[in-house]
Amino acid sequence: MIRKIALLLFISIFCLPTISAQSQVTVSDLYMAPYVDVRAPLFLDSTNLKGDKYGAGDYLSTFVSLPKNDAYRQQVKPDPFNFFHFSRPEKDARFYFVSFQLSANKYAKTKIKITAPSMYEVYINDKLETSKKTIEDSLPAAKMADVSLTMFPAETKTFVIKYLSLSSNICPEQIKIKIESNGNDSLVNYTVSKINEKRHINIKDIIEGTRVAYSTVSPNGKYSILTYSTTKDDGKTYSTKELLNTATNKRSALVAGKNYTWMPQTDELYYLDNSENLPKLYVVNPETFEERLFAENLPSADGYFTPDGKSLLYIDTEKGKTHDGNLIFLESPEDRQPGYRDRRFIYKYDFATGLKQRLTFGKHSTNLNDVSSDSRYLLYSTDREATERPFFLTSMFRLDMQTMTADTLWLDDGFAERASFSPDGKSVLIVGSAQAFGGIGNLLPDGQIPNMFDRQAFIMDLSSKKVEAITRDFKPSISSATWNPADGMIYFKVTDMSYERIYRYNPSKKQFTQLPLNEDVVKYISFANKKPYLAYIGASISNSNRAYIVDLKSDKSTLIADPYKSRLDHIELGEAKDWTFTSAENTTIDGCYYLPSDFDPSKKYPLIVYYYGGTSTTPRAMEGPYPPHVYAALGYIVYVIQPSGTFGYGTEFAARHVNAWGKYTATDIIDGTKKFIAEHPFVNGEKVGCIGASYGGFMTMYLQTQTDMFAAAVSHAGISSISSYWGEGYWGYTYSTAASANSYPWNNRQMYIEQSPLFSADKINTPLLLLHGTADTNVPIGESIQMYTALKILGKPVEFIQVKGENHSIRDYKKRIEWNHAIYAWFAKWLQNDSSWWDSLSE
């Protein structure tokens, strides 16, 4: 017989209405999981070794796994006095489990007050936060326990109360839950909802969870190795791997810690084992997982097979002279970087003879580019420093590993970067900028310099050394290139506007075809070298990484992994829409905008404008250091713009980045923001913020010298003085080969001074937040220090936050959350008229 619970009517589950109030709310809906009865132990004695009797506290401390979220199915309603009632067990004890989710519309220090005559434990996000360990005989005497916590906007906390009911209890079992703001903040609205209901996205969703990171396909396309990365809510990250049979969908976990790779010609796996300091190579059968020892006493626990499977290729490093003593004598501006004096050389280990043959030797490092399909030839490159742009000159050679003779493909071309063999070994595929090989890929008029980061592709015929610029009229920028032996086609992973796509190039027909893939941003690709199959990892504007296998004959994609879906299913994302405008240069400027999930077109929302502008686009991916969906969940409209100077929109568009330092970019951002506000009546044009990092941080500073339209601005790791960045950052003068081509502080003072925000600091009136990692080697922290000092002297509204020990990007889990929260608090102060969060940061 089903036991009745006093004063409780179980009803069918329906959508839980939100419960909102200003400053405080009493919970009026709970959801219950099946209860668990607890029996008393067999009493061999009346007391334990300490002389204590078995009591209520022993029952409370009984271990029981908390029910899973989907177990809370029964809705519970309170009495008129907001108490929830439970029945007592006929014997011994019983645990009741009730739950709810809590969110707030703003930052609020909050107290949860729980009143009950019996004992209970309170769990928040599965962590025990408090407990009540007393039992009272009447409701007026019932004691209360409370939990103090900080609620962040768009963040949802899950509460579970484990309530202990004893058959010996006198007072009826009941509990009341009250939520209130510690500061009696009349602006805070609390929302109580059912556990597992859809919620807003927050920064932890961007950092935490399980995602598929890599996928490699076997030579015949029958199997795939999937690598997953999981970050827990304590910040710890770990990886797991599984083997997928693409035909049967059978999945098998792979042993952790073994770096499995495919054999060159078969669907077997191999890994190198250095556990005994005598490296061994094991081959693994993908069906039975039987391992066999392939080779032992290898010279290194690294390297990879040549295509014929007879050798391993290695890169060994020779350590250079270290900086000894108290005085450091630099050999070059690059000598500040770790490992600059080390040299890397190529070796080949032959399985038949056991000989590790050194293939390259000298004063310059050699970089392995590719090996021919017959395993005879090797492409290697060398780099040497120069005192003129582009400061590093690359030479490429084809080494005959049988005769140990080298053929020079090109010498000292600073704009040609890397090369790979065609399947027949008669040509090489090259990636570089438009100025490579005498500028044969350059379509720009005289006097206009191509953007070095806008990469093109070339094919060199090895017999004649003739080079053809095959992407000369192709607008997307090349990220990677693969000449696939399975079908003879070339596949380019490209930046195509704000998308990362794959294009197929037919060398005989000289035609490009875009592959119809399922994601906006392709992050990682792998080809089967014997059959026409492709594996890729991709994400889109409103989903995380997903893995696919593509049949290159039909171009059909098959989804093989989407581990983040289970988390995303509980998140409510707002709509994202494309939006473009025509610039003053009569150019279409691409962009998109994001809406809050509870968007109301009759309301006015503050706007945040996000950009980079440092020549690469802002990808159409849900995740990133400044995820637009998270800002939208905080109550903003977010406008992401792809301004002039970014690659992926053609050579001329990308060339606008060169020697401009904000000129075209700022005009696009200012004009685009004005037009966006004018065309969207739900935007509050008086509450507009902007944010950018690195070159985007420079753009934030520069924009404030050009306009007062922004109500708040954020610059992370920004450049305030082009000349100091040019000389100090690890990559300052080399990045400037693109951004400041042939321009130096001594021959282009106008640009170095007039385009540097520091020299126009007196024009800045916008409240500006500067953030910088103290260990930033790319953009030294002095760039923010200079601007902060200038604005303080000028009496302008500015704040400066340094992130201890972090480099150009904020990687540490805890620091990353705190850093994001500081940005959110700054915008809340200036765009939402709420300074409570910002004020709390200095408490």
Side-chain angles (χ1 to χ4, degrees), residues 649-822:
Y649 293 87
T651 303
E652 190 279 328
F653 194 90
R656 297 179 192 179
H657 177 72
V658 182
N659 285 319
W661 280 95
K663 281 186 177 180
Y664 300 106
T665 307
T667 300
D668 287 348
I669 294 171
I670 293 170
D671 290 352
T673 301
K674 289 179 178 178
K675 291 180 179 181
F676 185 86
I677 295 170
E679 291 188 19
H680 298 90
F682 48 79
V683 172
N684 182 350
E686 300 298 317
K687 295 293 184 180
V688 181
C690 60
I691 183 171
S694 194
Y695 192 95
F698 157 80
M699 282 308 309
T700 290
M701 297 185 206
Y702 181 74
L703 280 167
Q704 311 324 306
T705 70
Q706 305 298 303
T707 181
D708 290 334
M709 68 181 296
F710 296 105
V714 175
S715 168
H716 172 70
I719 300 161
S720 64
S721 173
I722 303 171
S723 59
S724 57
Y725 166 70
W726 170 84
E728 290 184 54
Y730 271 14
W731 302 281
Y733 80 101
T734 51
Y735 174 80
S736 296
T737 59
S740 314
N742 300 321
S743 292
Y744 305 99
W746 54 87
N747 71 2
N748 194 345
R749 295 188 182 190
Q750 176 74 16
M751 185 188 75
Y752 277 85
I753 294 174
E754 292 302 320
Q755 296 307 116
S756 292
L758 181 65
F759 291 91
S760 297
D762 57 326
K763 298 178 182 178
I764 296 178
N765 298 307
T766 306
L768 175 62
L769 173 62
L770 303 166
L771 303 111
H772 224 116
T774 61
D776 196 330
T777 54
N778 185 348
V779 178
I781 193 173
E783 294 300 313
S784 287
I785 293 173
Q786 291 180 118
M787 181 57 77
Y788 177 72
T789 303
L791 294 178
K792 277 296 185 182
I793 291 172
L794 290 165
K796 302 300 181 79
V798 63
E799 297 290 349
F800 184 21
I801 294 177
Q802 300 182 9
V803 188
K804 292 181 181 179
E806 292 298 291
N807 205 307
H808 199 51
S809 299
I810 311 303
R811 302 293 187 185
D812 178 81
Y813 172 86
K814 186 173 184 293
K815 294 175 186 176
R816 187 174 173 187
I817 292 176
E818 292 175 339
W819 163 69
N820 274 282
H821 281 180

Side-chain angles (χ1 to χ4, degrees), residues 18-44:
T18 57
I19 303 170
S20 309
Q22 293 186 335
S23 299
Q24 64 181 24
V25 60
T26 300
V27 175
S28 59
D29 289 273
L30 287 177
Y31 277 79
M32 180 184 291
Y35 58 74
V36 174
D37 284 327
V38 183
R39 293 289 173 254
L42 176 65
F43 295 110
L44 304 178

Side-chain angles (χ1 to χ4, degrees), residues 543-754:
N543 65 265
S544 188
N545 292 5
R546 298 190 283 213
Y548 298 84
I549 292 289
V550 183
D551 183 337
L552 293 174
K553 289 183 178 179
S554 64
D555 288 344
K556 179 184 177 181
S557 293
T558 301
L559 180 68
I560 58 174
D562 184 12
Y564 196 79
K565 182 180 183 299
S566 59
R567 188 179 185 118
L568 195 58
D569 283 345
H570 298 290
I571 296 172
E572 192 75 51
L573 296 178
E575 191 175 2
K577 299 182 178 182
D578 292 329
W579 186 80
T580 63
F581 71 95
T582 302
S583 72
E585 299 288 328
N586 199 31
T587 304
T588 298
I589 302 299
D590 195 16
C592 62
Y593 64 96
Y594 298 72
L595 300 173
S597 60
D598 54 357
F599 173 69
D600 181 350
S602 67
K603 293 183 178 179
K604 289 279 190 178
Y605 292 85
L607 174 69
I608 292 177
V609 182
Y610 176 44
Y611 41 77
Y612 175 51
T615 205
S616 64
T617 59
T618 301
R620 296 169 59 89
M622 184 183 78
E623 293 143 336
Y626 310 93
H629 276 300
V630 174
Y631 286 90
L634 293 168
Y636 302 99
I637 307 298
V638 184
Y639 170 39
V640 180
I641 183 173
Q642 312 288 355
S644 291
T646 60
F647 54 68
Y649 293 87
T651 303
E652 190 279 328
F653 194 90
R656 297 179 192 179
H657 177 72
V658 182
N659 285 319
W661 280 95
K663 281 186 177 180
Y664 300 106
T665 307
T667 300
D668 287 348
I669 294 171
I670 293 170
D671 290 352
T673 301
K674 289 179 178 178
K675 291 180 179 181
F676 185 86
I677 295 170
E679 291 188 19
H680 298 90
F682 48 79
V683 172
N684 182 350
E686 300 298 317
K687 295 293 184 180
V688 181
C690 60
I691 183 171
S694 194
Y695 192 95
F698 157 80
M699 282 308 309
T700 290
M701 297 185 206
Y702 181 74
L703 280 167
Q704 311 324 306
T705 70
Q706 305 298 303
T707 181
D708 290 334
M709 68 181 296
F710 296 105
V714 175
S715 168
H716 172 70
I719 300 161
S720 64
S721 173
I722 303 171
S723 59
S724 57
Y725 166 70
W726 170 84
E728 290 184 54
Y730 271 14
W731 302 281
Y733 80 101
T734 51
Y735 174 80
S736 296
T737 59
S740 314
N742 300 321
S743 292
Y744 305 99
W746 54 87
N747 71 2
N748 194 345
R749 295 188 182 190
Q750 176 74 16
M751 185 188 75
Y752 277 85
I753 294 174
E754 292 302 320

Side-chain angles (χ1 to χ4, degrees), residues 35 93 176 268 283 329 399 403 421 435 448 461 540 596 603 641 672 711 734:
Y35 58 74
K176 181 166 72 173
E268 293 180 305
V283 174
F329 292 87
L399 173 65
T403 64
F421 283 109
Q435 289 179 277
Q448 191 171 10
D461 177 79
S540 291
K603 293 183 178 179
I641 183 173
T734 51

Side-chain angles (χ1 to χ4, degrees), residues 13-79:
I13 298 175
F14 55 87
C15 182
L16 180 67
T18 57
I19 303 170
S20 309
Q22 293 186 335
S23 299
Q24 64 181 24
V25 60
T26 300
V27 175
S28 59
D29 289 273
L30 287 177
Y31 277 79
M32 180 184 291
Y35 58 74
V36 174
D37 284 327
V38 183
R39 293 289 173 254
L42 176 65
F43 295 110
L44 304 178
D45 299 289
S46 60
T47 64
N48 61 15
L49 289 174
K50 296 180 180 180
D52 298 328
K53 293 184 177 181
Y54 192 87
D58 296 294
Y59 280 113
L60 183 66
S61 63
T62 300
F63 174 81
V64 58
S65 297
L66 295 181
K68 294 183 178 180
N69 288 355
D70 59 3
Y72 296 89
R73 299 175 181 173
Q74 294 176 311
Q75 189 180 27
V76 189
K77 287 290 187 180
D79 65 19

Side-chain angles (χ1 to χ4, degrees), residues 412-425:
D412 292 342
D413 191 325
F415 302 100
E417 299 174 9
R418 55 189 182 272
S420 58
F421 283 109
S422 61
D424 61 8

